[in-house]
Structures are given as C-alpha cells and as structure tokens.
Amino acid sequence: MKIKLLVLAALLMQGVAQASISQPNIVVIYTDDLGIGDVSAYNMGKLNTPSIDSIANQGLKFTNGYATAATCTPSRFSLLTGQYPWRKGAEILAGDAPLLISPKQQTLPKVLKKAGYTTAVIGKWHLGLGNGSIDWNEKNTLGPNEVGFDYSYIMAATNDRVPNVYVKNGDVVNLDPKDPLYVSYKKNFAGEPTGLDNPELMTTQTFSNGHYHSVNNGVSRIGYQKGGKSAQWIDEEMSDLFLDEAQRFVSKNKAKPFFLFYTLHQPHVPRIPNQRFVGKSGQGPRGDAILEADWAVGEFLKTLEQQGLTDNTLVIFSSDNGPVLDDGYNDQAVTKLGNHTPWGIYRGGKYSLFDAGSHIPFLVSWPGTIKPGISDKLFSQHDLLASLAALTNQSITASDSQNHIDTLLGKPGSARKGLVIEGIKGRTAYRQGDWMFIPAYWGPETLEKEQVETGACSCYQLYDLSTDPGQRNNLASKYPQKTAAMNKAYTAIIESH
Ligand code: NG6
Ligand code: CA
C-alpha cells in the first residue's frame, strides 16, 4: 500500500514537473520596423542594445529568422493566425479599418487559451477594429478580445495614424463623454487644423512625405480626428506606458501560465522618445527610440526576474519588418546615420522583397531549457502558432504554420524548407534552403521617398544566400533549371489552399 502510494505520488510529481515544462509563460516581444543590424547581438551595425542582446546571450540567436512580410499588418496577421498574409490580401491598414482576423479563425492566443493560458496584447495592434463603422465613443466588441486575448491595451493602428488614443478592452482610455472622438480617413472635420494648413503647429516634428492631416502633440498624422482631447496620447510617454502595462500584466498573472504579446511601437515613425533618451545614440530620434526600446526590454526582463519567472518563461524577441530611414518625417534618420547599417548585411529594407524587408532579428530564450547558441535554421514567425501548440499539447487545424518547436528550442530536428515572403502590393518571393527566387515584377526598383529598393525587376532573380546574402549576384540566367524549379515550387504554394 505504502509503496503504491509512493509510486502514485512520484507519478503525480512527474506530471506536475512535465506540466511546468510544457507550459512555460510565453512572451513575444515584437518591435516595429527594427532592423537586424539595429540589434548589436548580430554585430552588423553600430548601435548598442545590451538588454535585447541579453536574450541572445542566454538563449538562441537565429540568423535566418523571418517575418512573413516587409510591412506591419501582414506580418502581424501571420504571426497571430499562422496563415500567409497574401491568402487574406492583408495590406497596411488605416486606423479605422475593420478587424482583419475573423473571430471564427484559429489564432495563437486562442490556442494558448485552450491550454489554460491567460493572454494579453499590449502595444501596437494594427489589425483593425470593429466592422467598418466603429464608434469610438462606445465599447468596441470586435477586436483583440474577440480573437483570443483576455486583456488588451493597444493603440489601434500605428503611431503615425489616427486615432491617437489607447484602447483598453474595447474602450478608449480617458475619453471624456463631453468631448466625443470622431475619426475619418476620407475628409477633415470642419475647422480642424491639419499639418498642411497649419505648419506652425508642427512643434515636435515636421513631415517629409504624407502625414499632413490631423495634428496631435505637435505632430501631424495620417487621417483626421476631432475631439477626444483628454484621450490623445503623448508620444514621449508611450514607451513607459506600454512597459508599465506589460509589467502589471505579468505581476498580476504570474500564478498561472500567461501569454503576452508585447508589441513595442519603436522605432516606427514618428520617432519621439522620452526626454531621457534624447541625444543618447548620436543618431538622432531613430537611434534614440531604439535605445528607449532596449531600455524597456531590459526593465521588462527585470520584472520577470523579480517575480521569479525567468526560468519558466519562453521569451521570443523579433520585429514585424525590416528598417527604413525616412518613413515620412524630418527626423534626421538619414543625416545622422553615420556608418550604422540597420539592414545589416542584407539588401533593401522595409517594403522590400529583398531580404532586409523580412529577414529580421529573432531571439529566443528559456533559461535552463534552451542551450545558449546560434541557430542558422530557417524559422518564420508564422510557425509560432503550430510550434507553440505542439509545446503546449494543443491540436490545431491545418494552416500555413508548421510545427518546428525543436528548431525553436535549439534541439535537433527538421526545420522549415521553404518560405514565401511578401514585399508590398501582395508581391511575393520564395526562399528554399539557401536560395531566394524573386519572380518578375514591373514597377519602380526604388521607392523614391523612402529610398528603399523594392526588389522589383522585369527579370527573374535567383540568389544564393549562402555566398551572397547581400543579393548582388543574380544567378537566374546562369542556372535556368534551378530558377524553373524554384518558380514551380513557389507557384505550387501560392496556388495551394
Ligand atoms: C506607409 C506610411 C509609413 C508607414 C507605413 C506603415 C506614408 C507616406 N507612409 O503608408 O509612414 O506608416 O505606411 O508602416 O504615409 S507599418 O510598419 O505599420 O507597416
Ligand atoms: Ca512595422
């Protein structure tokens, strides 16, 4: 009897131990437009990001990590749904766009909720809200909370788009009912100033391209808004506010496994860091904003440590797309860059089909479980859904997401073989092994204002990334058979489903 009880107790304990191993807290720290060369762990640039690097130092640094797209909405859509963005026609959304993810759709937070996790998104959303006619003065019931997040504290779209307010579980934060908020992407509200008509109001930053509509905090944005003055954000406070929310969520939910999607707004335009970081990088606001993000990441990791959660938390750090310098504001990003290279050794940048568009920093740590090191295996953000489902023992329905949990945790096992990446306008390219194939596309080879190479060419392009990561040597005519085989494999994926 006694022995039986002991055996039972041992089995139970084993069960408990196993549960705690397969159910770590999961935090995805997601930056906005941060390049692989912006993270000093990659040794490709001149900035110093010690806190972000600490994730690499105690975990795995992926040298072939990808977002599925070179812009925000498509990448975020994929990360959360496991579906390629071009299947949905996902494009950069306006601030009043309807919710892009169907409440019926499988999502990463829903899968983790089934596994018993408490889930939250804190930071940038940019996946739409409501059904197309959102009333900002009422509680919105079609947003992050309807696609799997128990808690949400978000900005609706981007920091350069209206409305410039935070939305907490569907409610605009600090909204005074006596001063209702109205938003339009079609026309201005009578009597409201704009960046174009009232340049004297541009006291914080001026625009270089687009971004000349409604003004808030001395900066004009995309889109028109009226009212809701008490709810309008102050850019300089945004980083601290999201950090505080993230820290609170962790402290409040530490008793049970949690999933936190902590989506920082840096270094997306307008780059307006807190005064504490101004001038710290020597590279102007873009560099300063990155140092601010790095500091926030450090403070967040400290919170995990203080709460005793470090060893039981899987931290994934990445970016939604590659870097851009002038993305619409006169913020010295170009003039003060010096010899820093945000795109690292890759070609192009945000918006580009060349690698710097989607070949992003990707770091993973789980002290005690993941052995520190470097992984050169291919890993795409949209594989998090199937991989984390496998980790937490959840079944999922078929999607583009593949289970590569072993790769994610640095164990031997097969990695993703092929990956479709997207530039802009639904244009895609295909990586298989070390080869990158870009189909023929007509149109400008360079975005004139942003000075980013699009990757478009009226020819086929084929690059061997193992010897030519900078994509300078087009091998398509040298290897016509390889090019044809890549085209065939690519077309099969595009036409599947
Ligand atoms: C572009 C904006 C750019 C940025 C981008 C979205 C102009 C001229 N450019 O249309 O500033 O907001 O959209 O960035 O308006 S993303 O990271 O959210 O995809
Ligand atoms: Ca982005």
Side-chain angles (χ1 to χ4, degrees):
M1 181 65 185
K2 211 172 170 188
I3 288 175
K4 266 192 189 162
L5 271 177
L6 276 177
V7 169
L8 190 68
L11 279 173
L12 276 173
M13 275 167 65
Q14 206 183 8
V16 168
Q18 267 172 5
S20 68
I21 282 179
S22 62
Q23 294 221 315
N25 305 305
I26 301 170
V27 180
V28 176
I29 304 176
Y30 209 49
T31 48
D32 194 0
D33 301 358
L34 188 73
I36 193 165
D38 289 321
V39 174
S40 43
Y42 283 93
N43 291 319
M44 294 180 187
K46 299 285 178 214
L47 276 173
N48 193 16
T49 54
S51 300
I52 298 170
D53 290 4
S54 75
I55 304 172
N57 295 338
Q58 58 178 346
L60 272 179
K61 177 173 77 175
F62 282 81
T63 55
N64 283 305
Y66 279 83
T68 61
T71 59
C72 179
T73 301
S75 293
R76 285 161 203 257
F77 174 81
S78 278
L79 189 152
L80 289 182
T81 65
Q83 196 182 26
Y84 276 127
W86 36 270
R87 296 214 195 273
K88 178 82 182 174
E91 296 272 350
I92 298 169
L93 291 181
D96 63 349
L99 181 63
L100 188 65
I101 303 172
S102 160
K104 295 199 192 95
Q105 200 165 351
Q106 164 171 274
T107 66
L108 176 58
K110 275 192 199 167
V111 169
L112 294 175
K113 252 170 91 93
K114 270 201 291 166
Y117 281 64
T118 307
T119 59
V121 55
I122 293 168
K124 173 173 174 171
W125 177 240
H126 211 186
L127 288 162
L129 294 173
N131 58 11
S133 57
I134 185 165
D135 180 348
W136 299 93
N137 305 294
E138 301 282 329
K139 189 178 195 72
N140 171 50
T141 54
L142 214 45
N145 299 59
E146 285 66 42
V147 297
F149 289 106
D150 295 309
Y151 181 74
S152 63
Y153 195 107
I154 55 163
M155 67 159 119
T158 60
N159 44 337
D160 61 353
R161 278 171 177 72
V162 302
N164 295 164
V165 297
Y166 302 111
V167 182
K168 178 179 173 177
N169 294 327
D171 289 312
V172 171
V173 180
N174 287 335
L175 186 65
D176 176 359
K178 291 198 282 303
D179 180 28
L181 171 66
Y182 300 103
V183 172
S184 170
Y185 275 73
K186 293 198 181 79
K187 62 177 179 52
N188 197 10
F189 300 94
E192 291 298 309
T194 63
L196 202 58
D197 297 337
N198 305 81
E200 75 284 0
L201 297 179
M202 251 46 55
T203 48
T204 309
Q205 221 166 76
T206 55
F207 62 87
S208 62
N209 178 26
H211 302 98
Y212 46 69
H213 301 141
S214 287
V215 183
N216 167 41
N217 196 29
V219 190
S220 51
R221 324 268 168 161
I222 308 173
Y224 304 102
Q225 59 187 350
K226 179 188 169 180
K229 288 281 182 255
S230 57
Q232 301 284 318
W233 69 51
I234 296 167
D235 303 79
E236 292 85 341
E237 296 172 357
M238 189 176 284
S239 181
D240 288 348
L241 195 141
F242 287 151
L243 169 63
D244 186 55
E245 279 288 326
Q247 290 171 317
R248 264 177 220 258
F249 174 78
V250 164
S251 309
K252 218 173 135 190
N253 292 285
K254 62 180 173 184
K256 268 177 52 189
F258 59 79
F259 166 58
L260 171 62
F261 190 32
Y262 176 23
T263 52
L264 284 72
H265 67 289
Q266 299 106 329
H268 194 285
V269 296
R271 298 153 181 148
I272 307 172
N274 190 279
Q275 190 60 39
R276 306 195 304 281
F277 299 92
V278 172
K280 290 287 186 272
S281 69
Q283 292 183 15
R286 183 176 185 277
D288 297 346
I290 294 172
L291 298 193
E292 179 184 52
D294 184 67
W295 181 84
V297 169
E299 291 302 298
F300 178 78
L301 295 175
K302 262 190 225 163
T303 300
L304 290 181
E305 188 72 54
Q306 283 157 3
Q307 301 288 351
L309 299 171
T310 302
D311 288 350
N312 196 30
T313 303
L314 172 62
V315 174
I316 299 163
F317 175 90
S318 198
S319 176
D320 65 343
N321 52 253
V324 57
L325 297 176
D326 185 342
D327 207 15
Y329 290 94
N330 297 308
D331 62 7
Q332 304 168 304
V334 175
T335 52
K336 288 206 157 175
L337 185 67
N339 53 1
H340 177 54
T341 45
W343 44 85
I345 56 172
Y346 304 109
R347 186 172 177 180
K350 180 178 181 178
Y351 310 113
S352 182
L353 272 175
F354 287 131
D355 248 39
S358 51
H359 197 147
I360 35 68
F362 194 85
L363 311 171
V364 183
S365 75
W366 183 3
T369 303
I370 293 181
K371 237 174 72 203
I374 297 173
S375 173
D376 63 359
K377 287 188 178 169
L378 188 59
F379 194 91
S380 171
Q381 289 169 1
H382 78 301
D383 289 336
L384 287 175
L385 183 123
S387 305
L388 297 176
L391 178 73
T392 55
N393 266 323
Q394 297 305 302
S395 58
I396 52 168
T397 53
S399 72
D400 295 312
S401 184
Q402 297 176 1
N403 169 17
H404 293 298
I405 186 64
D406 289 339
T407 298
L408 189 71
L409 302 182
K411 294 186 199 152
S414 69
R416 175 174 271 280
K417 295 193 171 55
L419 173 70
V420 176
I421 54 156
E422 184 185 306
I424 38 171
K425 301 186 175 150
R427 292 174 166 187
T428 47
Y430 179 59
R431 177 168 174 166
Q432 193 182 66
D434 283 327
W435 294 95
M436 184 65 86
F437 167 73
I438 308 179
Y441 292 114
W442 280 258
E445 288 179 14
T446 303
L447 295 178
E448 206 188 311
K449 301 278 191 190
E450 292 81 1
Q451 280 299 303
V452 174
E453 289 182 291
T454 59
C457 171
S458 54
C459 58
Y460 281 153
Q461 297 178 76
L462 181 73
Y463 298 100
D464 179 356
L465 297 176
S466 69
T467 55
D468 179 26
Q471 295 174 300
R472 294 289 160 195
N473 194 9
N474 182 2
L475 300 171
S477 46
K478 189 170 174 196
Y479 300 122
Q481 278 172 352
K482 181 77 196 166
T483 305
M486 290 289 285
N487 195 2
K488 198 171 161 198
Y490 159 78
T491 309
I493 297 173
I494 296 283
E495 289 176 355
S496 64
H497 292 264

